[in-house]
Structure formats: C-alpha cells, structure tokens
Amino acid sequence: MPSRRRSKTYSSKLARRMSIKESLQKTDLTVGIDRQIEKRVLRKFDLHIIPLMTFMFLCSSMDLSNLGNANSDNIEGDLGMKGNQYNILLSIWYIPVVLFGPPMNILTKK
C-alpha cells in the first residue's frame, strides 16, 4: 500500500513540474523590450554605478593596505596590544569583507 501512495505522489509532482516547465518554455520574455530604451538605461547605469564601484574598490584596497602598513609601523606597540590582539583585530575586520563581498559582487553583475 505505501508504495502506491508514493508512486501517485511522485507522479503528480512530476506532472506539475512538467507543466511548469512547458509553460516556461512557451513564455517569450523578450517581447516588448525596446532596444533603444534598453541601451539608454544601461548607459545611465554605467555612468552612475561604475564610478561609484571604482571609488568603493579604491577605498577597500586602501583599507587593506593601510592595515599592513600600520603593522609594519608598530601599531601593536602604539596601541598597547599584547599577544595576538592584532590578529584578532584582523579577523574581526575581515568577517564583513568575506560575508558581504560575494553577495555584493553578484548584485553588481546583475
């Protein structure tokens, strides 16, 4: 008995998947897009977003290089850090970079 239920449930799920897949294949999403408007919108995005992203990249690379330069210039002694406190500082600093870097890259590619 349980095998019949499973097969009916599986076949109904499979039928739903097939109908969704067929309806997506029949749908034409490119109808109604004006190429001239698309070019203008993309040009506006490029003119506004690329300079902002360049500036953000510059600030990010300056932050990362400044941390290395500060360590070379004895920041540990100036701030009274002992042991591995500088390493903990770097770990805390890189957590947002690692967590938010990939999603931001994905968003900028869309």
Side-chain angles (χ1 to χ4, degrees):
M1 247 343 188
S3 63
R4 283 187 189 169
R5 283 189 209 161
R6 246 188 261 153
S7 65
K8 285 182 183 179
T9 305
Y10 178 74
S11 63
S12 65
K13 285 183 183 179
L14 184 61
R16 274 187 275 164
R17 282 188 196 151
M18 291 302 288
S19 64
I20 291 171
K21 188 175 182 181
E22 289 170 0
S23 66
L24 286 176
Q25 287 175 348
K26 291 178 185 176
T27 305
D28 186 14
L29 299 176
T30 60
V31 175
I33 296 177
D34 186 12
R35 296 296 174 200
Q36 294 291 10
I37 294 174
E38 181 184 13
K39 282 177 109 176
R40 283 193 346 226
V41 169
L42 287 176
R43 180 81 175 148
K44 281 187 178 182
F45 280 149
D46 287 345
L47 290 176
H48 289 90
I49 292 177
I50 301 266
L52 178 65
M53 294 303 295
T54 303
F55 178 73
M56 290 172 60
F57 179 75
L58 175 69
C59 291
S60 173
S61 62
M62 282 180 15
D63 282 343
L64 298 177
S65 65
N66 281 341
L67 285 173
N69 291 337
N71 190 30
S72 299
D73 202 26
N74 196 18
I75 192 173
E76 293 175 354
D78 293 343
L79 296 178
M81 294 182 177
K82 299 201 186 329
N84 63 352
Q85 288 180 334
Y86 180 76
N87 295 334
I88 292 171
L89 171 76
L90 284 180
S91 297
I92 292 170
W93 178 262
Y94 280 110
I95 288 172
V97 172
V98 170
L99 289 178
F100 297 116
M104 293 308 292
N105 285 332
I106 291 170
L107 286 175
T108 56
K109 288 181 182 180
K110 286 187 177 184

